[in-house]
Amino acid sequence: MPDITTDVLIIGTGPAGSATAALLSTYGIENMAVNRYRWLANTPRAHITNQRAMEVLRDLGREVEDEAYMFATHQELMGENIFCESLAGEEIGRMKAWGNHPLSKAEHLMSSPTKMNDLPQTFMEPLLFKTACSRGTQARMSTEYLRHQQDADGVTTTCLDRLTQKEFTIRSKYLIGADGGKSLVAENENLPFEGKMGVGGSMNILFKADLTKYVAHRPSVLYWVMQPGADVGGIGMGLVRMVRPWNEWLIVWGYDINEPEPVVTPEFATGVARQLIGDPELEIELLSANTWTVNNFYATKTSNGRVFCMGDAIHRHPPSNGLGSNTSIQDAFNLAWKLAMVLKGQAGEHLLDSYDTERAPVAKQIVTRANQSIAETGPIFAALGMAEGVNPEQMQKNLEARTNGTPEAEAQREAIRKAIAFKKYEFDAHGVEMNQRYSSDAVVTDGQIEPAFQLDADLHYQPTTWPGARLPHAWLYRHDNGAEVSTLDLCGHGRFTILTGLGGEAWVEATARVGDALGIEIVTHVIGPRREYVDHSGEWARLAEICDSGCLLVRPDHHVCWRVSSPVDDPEAELHRALKRILAR
Ligand code: FDA
């Protein structure tokens, strides 16, 4: 007999595990989350929070979204991505990052009701965890996952209570491995991986120091520093990262992975901080220091039977592009509603297979992107004549050379500008963050062709209602009080939604009957003049890609899963057919 039973057992309370727990509890599913430590992340770690992750928080409730903004450094303070000799030294160049370039800002504003921000993991995790526990998640801290065994009906997991040193078992219908980059769940389940762990060595030095005089006039999250050793290991260059403006910082500094791991003593940490900031007298209050490895490793299969892995457990990559916790939260958003519907008997188990079909390609994409971003720092070094390594004297000579009025110096200046501008693939890659389109049995295209990307798909988000894509955002207005509401706000919250327009009323009747027949709640909205939501600006008409009398079926995770462009003879039969396929009924 197991000691404890629950429907879903979640190993790990990081961004992936806590988001899953919060979503499952919101959907009314019994779940338990365990963490081997007594509390959540104790260092800021992930921080860049993109619009898609914020949409998940918004779906959990406006109070969750608002609390994130309350603790975050706002987008406006994130944007001047600086490359310099040191913070006190000469600036080599900069680029506007994270949606702060005026053109990029417009794309951000048009793409989502949410805003990118900088929310350190020490704030994100407690927010998600609190949301989970207050809505029903049973959390057990100081509880270490050891092993599991799955059978036809469920999973029996053995954990160690680290306070009593006693082992106990938990029986669940499903097990989630959200246990981070050294996932024992993924290892025990023998999930296949591609790539390599430990391709570079890096260290984090977390400290307090007031650096206002070096940064307040060029507010940024990231200050990239070219110093001797900056091209060794690490994430492309020496990094001084803002944690709280402007008095808490995290330095990321590389080391040669083929050499022994350095011991980061307070003296060593202070030395690195003084070197990167360029102030030999600087006093820091050292908070912590640790080493970590740069990984290039992703699961090619993310689940097996009743066991699902997510977050760093299936995608292990450097922090470049800031995709770590964002993707983990989005994994959770993909899986949670599927588990909920299967557990409530509203969907067949085959629906769960779509988690792997949809998220394994994302794991590969982001791991590849983040590692490529490290390599793309090389041209900046090359443009400064330091492809062979940073030598301080040579660097001074090269920096000096670029100030000449000669054609060679002009060519060098041009090369530096181009190399820095190219880093938008790391620091302003809105497409990487927002363009995820799914192709699986949980999406019915009825043969509609996927629209090609008109612009660079890594840099620019392209809205489409093609089944598989995330529902485009447009502001609508409530007929009764004029309040602004996003199309995304009409959907989600664990339910399917039908969006239609004037002339599409037959879809509303059909949806009610299909919902009854399948025993699921489907929300319907007719958008148009004198209806509950009005498209005063015409923005939705521009994006919807259907006639008013057509319809979009939207999944609980905001992805369109079926689209009918114009009226059909038997809407009930058509909707029934599509939903039965999506729900594997
Ligand atoms: P995460 O690692 O956050 O959580 C795993 C959870 O599982 C933890 O609660 C852990 O205690 C628990 N756990 C593990 N094994 C267990 C077991 N056997 N039993 C019970 N519980 C267990 N990203 C970024 O974008 N910018 C950055 O600057 C950094 N910096 C950074 C530094 C360091 C040192 C690390 C380790 C990672 C980063 N990251 C990062 C990556 C980012 O933090 C990461 O992508 C997310 O935390 C992933 O979230 P997960 O929930 O998947 O794993």
Side-chain angles (χ1 to χ4, degrees):
M1 278 291 285
D3 298 299
I4 299 171
T5 58
T6 186
D7 279 346
V8 182
L9 174 62
I10 303 160
I11 310 299
T13 57
S18 289
T20 307
L23 288 161
L24 287 175
S25 288
T26 306
Y27 302 157
I29 297 298
E30 194 187 299
N31 67 93
M32 174 176 287
V34 307
N35 178 356
R36 53 143 63 111
Y37 301 115
R38 64 170 181 78
W39 186 234
L40 309 171
N42 60 358
T43 60
R45 296 166 62 177
H47 54 117
I48 305 285
T49 306
N50 66 35
Q51 288 181 302
R52 188 65 189 129
M54 285 306 297
E55 286 170 4
V56 180
L57 268 61
R58 188 177 171 99
D59 192 82
L60 281 167
R62 292 299 284 274
E63 71 282 13
V64 180
E65 183 192 10
D66 288 347
E67 195 169 322
Y69 293 134
M70 196 164 83
F71 288 109
T73 297
H74 289 191
Q75 188 172 19
E76 293 69 28
L77 289 183
M78 295 171 70
E80 303 294 322
N81 196 53
I82 305 288
F83 297 88
C84 57
E85 195 189 16
S86 69
L87 260 60
E90 186 169 357
E91 182 171 324
I92 296 162
R94 64 173 87 178
M95 61 161 291
K96 288 214 184 286
W98 312 120
N100 279 288
H101 187 285
L103 293 173
S104 180
K105 186 175 279 188
E107 290 190 23
H108 275 239
L109 285 171
M110 290 170 74
S111 305
S112 173
T114 66
K115 284 188 130 192
M116 176 172 252
N117 60 79
D118 187 285
L119 186 66
Q121 204 162 326
T122 34
F123 293 91
M124 175 66 93
E125 272 190 34
L127 175 56
L128 291 171
F129 187 66
K130 173 181 77 173
T131 305
C133 296
S134 64
R135 295 181 186 182
T137 297
Q138 291 283 355
R140 282 187 74 114
M141 306 311 259
S142 302
T143 299
E144 184 169 350
Y145 159 88
L146 298 177
R147 58 190 170 274
H148 72 267
Q149 194 153 30
Q150 61 168 315
D151 53 55
D153 308 315
V155 188
T156 301
T157 301
T158 306
C159 288
L160 174 74
D161 181 329
R162 293 181 70 178
L163 301 181
T164 61
Q165 289 299 315
K166 287 204 174 91
E167 289 188 12
F168 64 98
T169 53
I170 304 170
R171 178 78 179 163
S172 60
K173 298 198 177 95
Y174 297 97
L175 173 68
I176 294 181
D179 51 340
K182 294 181 181 143
S183 174
L184 190 55
V185 178
E187 190 183 321
N188 287 345
E189 202 50 57
N190 277 321
L191 293 185
F193 281 81
E194 267 177 25
K196 200 165 175 264
M197 292 286 273
V199 294
S202 202
M203 70 187 78
N204 280 0
I205 299 171
L206 181 66
F207 64 97
K208 285 195 172 174
D210 183 359
L211 301 183
T212 308
K213 66 176 172 180
Y214 301 120
V215 295
H217 58 290
R218 44 182 182 174
S220 178
V221 181
L222 307 174
Y223 298 84
W224 297 92
V225 181
M226 299 187 93
Q227 289 274 327
D231 50 345
V232 179
I235 51 174
M237 263 190 209
L239 171 66
V240 182
R241 169 196 145 192
M242 179 274 292
V243 177
R244 307 308 278 167
W246 307 109
N247 56 17
E248 190 173 330
W249 301 88
L250 188 130
I251 281 180
V252 183
W253 185 243
Y255 70 88
D256 187 345
I257 191 84
N258 300 312
E259 298 291 326
E261 209 176 282
V263 181
V264 192
T265 60
E267 294 70 34
F268 181 87
T270 305
V272 173
R274 287 178 175 169
Q275 186 190 346
L276 268 60
I277 288 147
D279 177 353
E281 307 295 321
L282 179 78
E283 292 300 332
I284 63 168
E285 183 190 335
L286 183 65
L287 300 176
S288 69
N290 63 286
T291 56
W292 51 281
T293 59
V294 176
N295 303 318
N296 188 350
F297 206 58
Y298 54 87
T300 51
K301 189 171 181 313
T302 57
S303 63
N304 194 14
R306 294 177 171 273
V307 180
F308 299 83
C309 285
M310 57 167 61
D312 275 15
I314 55 166
H315 31 80
R316 304 173 192 176
H317 54 89
S320 323
N321 292 72
L323 294 167
S325 81
N326 289 303
T327 310
S328 304
I329 290 169
Q330 291 153 26
D331 288 342
F333 203 37
N334 183 289
L335 180 63
W337 70 269
K338 296 173 183 172
L339 279 173
M341 293 195 90
V342 171
L343 281 162
K344 287 177 185 171
Q346 297 169 336
E349 288 211 315
H350 178 62
L351 173 64
L352 298 173
D353 295 340
S354 66
Y355 170 72
D356 178 63
T357 320
E358 294 176 351
R359 295 306 291 179
V362 175
K364 177 177 181 179
Q365 181 210 359
I366 64 148
V367 170
T368 308
R369 178 63 255 169
N371 279 281
Q372 195 178 327
S373 289
I374 293 186
E376 286 169 359
T377 304
I380 303 180
F381 286 98
L384 281 164
M386 290 184 292
E388 303 304 320
V390 183
N391 165 329
E393 280 162 29
Q394 188 60 40
M395 179 161 152
Q396 274 313 321
K397 273 196 202 141
N398 293 342
L399 286 178
E400 193 68 39
R402 90 192 201 287
T403 65
N404 294 334
T406 60
E408 294 76 26
E410 186 166 349
Q412 192 196 4
R413 290 194 293 274
E414 172 69 356
I416 296 170
R417 274 198 300 273
K418 272 195 180 149
I420 288 180
F422 195 70
K423 292 299 289 176
K424 63 187 170 198
Y425 283 92
E426 176 171 359
F427 304 118
D428 208 13
H430 199 221
V432 173
E433 294 159 5
M434 303 288 284
N435 270 332
Q436 287 161 15
R437 297 175 177 177
Y438 297 147
S439 180
S440 75
D441 289 350
V443 170
V444 176
T445 62
D446 282 341
Q448 295 171 65
I449 308 286
E450 179 178 1
F453 286 98
Q454 303 297 318
L455 299 169
D456 189 316
D458 276 358
L459 298 181
H460 302 281
Y461 162 64
Q462 180 172 316
T464 173
T465 59
W466 180 70
R470 159 189 164 280
L471 178 76
H473 150 75
W475 288 116
L476 303 172
Y477 302 88
R478 283 188 69 101
H479 178 57
D480 55 359
N481 61 12
E484 228 178 23
V485 179
S486 167
T487 43
L488 292 165
D489 296 333
L490 304 186
C491 306
H493 309 293
R495 303 172 304 198
F496 279 84
T497 306
I498 284 275
L499 297 180
T500 184
L502 292 171
E505 286 78 3
W507 290 112
V508 179
E509 289 159 34
T511 303
R513 285 197 291 271
V514 172
D516 282 350
L518 294 175
I520 60 169
E521 186 187 358
I522 312 170
V523 179
T524 51
H525 294 292
V526 181
I527 298 165
R530 298 196 188 172
R531 293 297 185 276
E532 194 180 1
Y533 299 103
V534 192
D535 178 24
H536 287 310
S537 65
E539 199 54 8
W540 177 237
R542 187 179 70 80
L543 292 166
E545 298 174 319
I546 53 170
C547 301
D548 285 355
S549 50
C551 88
L552 296 177
L553 178 63
V554 186
R555 305 193 321 194
D557 60 0
H558 304 159
H559 280 254
V560 177
C561 55
W562 186 58
R563 177 174 74 176
V564 183
S565 304
S566 47
V568 293
D569 289 341
D570 189 346
E572 184 180 338
E574 287 293 302
L575 179 61
H576 197 257
R577 169 185 66 83
L579 264 168
K580 269 186 68 173
R581 256 188 64 193
I582 292 159
L583 295 174
R585 296 271 293 261

